[in-house]
Amino acid sequence: MDKARLIQRLMATFVAELEEHVRALERDLLALEKGAEGETRRKLFEVLFRTAHSLKGAAGSVGVAPVEAAAHLTEEVLSGARDGRLPTDAAFFARLLPVVDAIGDAGRRLRDNRALAGGPLDAALRGLAVLVGDRSVQPPAPPPPRPPAAPPVSETPAPGPAAREWAGMVRVPAEKLDALMAQGSELLLVRHRAEARQQDAQALLDQIGAWQREWRRLESGLAILTKRDGQGGATALRAQLDQAIGRHRDAFWRIERGMQRLSAELQRDRRLLDQVAVPIDQEIRRARMLPFAEACEGLDRVVRDLAAAGGRTADFVVEGHDIELDRSVLDGLKDSLLHLVRNAVDHGIEPAEQRAAAGKPSVARIVVSARRNGARVEVQVADDGRGLDIEAIRSRLVQAGLPVPAETAALARAIFAPGLSTASAVTALSGRGVGLDVVKTAVEAMRGTVDVEFTPGRGTRFMLGVPLTLTSVRAVLAAAGGRVFAIEAEQVLRVIRPALADLVAVEGRDMLVVDARPVPVVRLADLLGSAEPAAAIGARFIAIVLDVRGRRVAVVVDEVRAEREIVIRSLGRRLRRIAHVGGGTILPDGRVGLVLNAAELVDRAMEVATGGRFAAAGAAPATEAAARRLLVVDDSVTIRTLVKSILEGAGYEVMAAPDGAEAWAMLLEKGADLVVSDVEMPRMDGFTLTETIRASPRFRKLPVILVTAMESESDKARGLAAGADAYQVKSGFDQSALLSTIGQLL
């Protein structure tokens, strides 16, 4: 290897090592600043001193004089602080931390082949020299440049923690690891194809067996025919057929034996392939896995600096730092975590006087945590600040002309809307229209989910759910609209086969009751805008119940094919923005299947109104409205009159009652074809009225629609459990939806 290439390789190795040293220096200095005492303080100084010494030796070995001088001055400062000659006050860290930043900048300049002169390191060196010189310690002059060479024996630094960490390890460029991962994933695809070929061979064996059974029946028939007809012609025919059957029987026997050997060999090859492919795939995955702490590097510094700039104090904590994720997932999380942490400092943490008035500790607390949950990792960013300003969010939505949800939880999730910011003024951090939608977009691009919870005056918690890896996943394969799609198995609650009779209408939408909760139902083909017609719905249909952080939707598919491990591939630059699609996969038959983003499907399904298409598919033709008598029950005269006029305008005969007790008396006297009832009423409420109707042999099949202001999921579930056929919320009252629901039920 020529000298120039050797220098280039040494410099690349040094830059990578420098990054490790910078991270270690920053981490340990921040730990020291938090007030470590006793043995912990002594060990921190020891590790800091060794790291600076190792960095000085490494810089000297490749002739990077400014970094070597900075490391030497850092040693001097640390030595003085360790021995008590320099106080570890705010000025100490205010001088030393910028030096660490400047060394990191020098590493980036070296990596990009830019000059170090005139960079931040020059100013940092002068500041550090002042810190040392103020206490009669003269900083050493920068050593003259020298060509890369092995350091003299007397200058060899003691192996520091970074050196020991890299002992026995090899640095592999990320692109090479990605290529190796792609090749390893191909082995899994070959394994699936081998499994499919074995199934093909078995199918041929089954067919041969059927042929053999048919030949045996033919032989038996010929034998009976020969016994019945003893003429010579029949005997000659029998002899010819016997010869032909014998030849075919021998051929079938040879084919069967050959297919049995082929099937056995394919099975053996598949087992051997499993023994090779699975360990390779697992080891490659392990090589790509990095601890969650990697995604949190630098966040403690961000919290410290931003809090100090705002006159606040905050403690930053990482929990679950040893949870391992794929490198690509960690890279995708870094910007989101940075955005959320900055948001917590700027929006969440109150000034010290406000915290004291609220009875909170003066030091705020921001916690970033990770927890493994099956094939996914739950990441949380929590603070103990003021919580979300719901009124400000509502006001911004109104100003932006966006829908304003009625429920607090849905209103809180609106902060992920594009461009929404509740900042009252433009600062370095907020008020520029760059909201939390960037976090939602980045996480959902990784097939992840985002949600938020808060307690007014006590804090906010953002919850991110991401897969362990982006390259493969356990998935359910389903067909809809003539195409095969894959949905991550972790977000599939269950696959069900409900009947049309199981459908109920809530707020004009088709719903299924799953685990005592109403779940919206929508065709997958409709969500994806498929041009192919979906399969006709029979008495029963297939639905996949998706569960994304407790939000559930049942998507109707034509067929569920299998559940298996799939390799996810990028769709390329032109196709990567297809709605609800997170990638593609090669199916065992060689076709391409699209990998769907369950979170986006749920969001879209919540917006789409089915209009009772499933119920209409199995309903009998509607009868003329004029022949139907409806009973409207509501204790509000205004509401009762409004609904009565709407229904009479549609041609129905309408009776009205002020409460459930009077409504029940009217039913017993006059009967009705359908009941539209409020829930909260005197004497007998709507739930009790519905239960009374269902308990009556005469009226147990009478359709009941509850129209009420009670809009929580538990209220809807209670209404459906009482026997209501449909449930509509007054806040979202839709005249056409009510009439459509009545038409379906009649």
Side-chain angles (χ1 to χ4, degrees), residues 217-232:
R217 285 195 295 270
L218 180 59
E219 284 183 301
S220 300
L222 286 172
I224 295 172
L225 178 63
T226 303
K227 288 180 181 179
R228 291 178 179 176
D229 188 352
Q231 297 179 4

Side-chain angles (χ1 to χ4, degrees), residues 285-308:
R285 292 175 194 276
R286 285 185 57 203
R288 288 177 57 93
M289 302 298 272
L290 294 171
F292 176 67
E294 294 269 346
C296 301
E297 286 181 349
L299 294 181
D300 48 354
R301 179 70 181 279
V302 170
V303 171
R304 172 196 180 274
D305 292 349
L306 293 181

Side-chain angles (χ1 to χ4, degrees), residues 354-440:
Q354 292 183 17
R355 293 183 64 85
K360 295 182 179 181
S362 59
V363 178
R365 183 177 173 86
I366 297 175
V367 180
V368 176
S369 63
R371 181 176 64 88
R372 177 82 177 265
N373 183 14
R376 299 179 72 81
V377 173
E378 303 293 332
V379 178
Q380 295 187 3
V381 179
D383 65 70
D384 63 349
R386 58 173 61 92
L388 298 181
D389 188 342
I390 287 296
E391 291 306 317
I393 295 173
R394 182 180 285 110
S395 174
R396 292 294 190 273
L397 289 173
V398 171
Q399 291 175 14
L402 298 172
V404 181
E407 297 182 1
T408 301
L411 193 57
R413 283 193 290 269
I415 61 175
F416 298 113
L420 186 75
S421 175
T422 58
S424 58
V426 175
T427 68
L429 298 180
S430 305
R432 302 183 186 275
V434 181
L436 291 172
D437 64 301
V438 296
V439 175
K440 185 174 187 289

Side-chain angles (χ1 to χ4, degrees), residues 95-148:
R95 295 277 190 174
L96 203 52
L97 283 169
V99 174
V100 176
D101 293 340
I103 294 173
D105 175 80
R108 291 187 290 274
R109 287 171 176 263
L110 291 171
R111 183 184 58 205
D112 299 337
N113 293 319
R114 291 183 291 150
L116 299 185
L121 191 57
D122 290 347
L125 278 173
R126 289 192 294 270
L128 199 57
V130 169
L131 179 63
V132 177
D134 286 346
R135 291 157 179 84
S136 302
V137 179
Q138 295 299 321
R146 57 179 183 271

Side-chain angles (χ1 to χ4, degrees), residues 473-479 484-496 524 542-546 555 557 559-566 585 587 593-596 601:
V473 69
R474 191 77 181 171
V476 174
L477 302 181
V484 177
F485 302 95
I487 303 174
E488 189 174 346
E490 285 286 332
Q491 295 177 323
V492 174
L493 180 67
R494 64 176 65 106
V495 178
I496 57 178
L524 181 58
I542 303 172
I544 300 175
V545 182
L546 303 179
V555 292
V557 298
E559 180 187 2
V560 173
R561 297 282 180 87
E563 180 182 339
R564 67 180 345 134
E565 191 85 10
I566 62 169
T585 186
L587 302 171
L594 297 178
V595 182
L596 301 179
L601 285 180

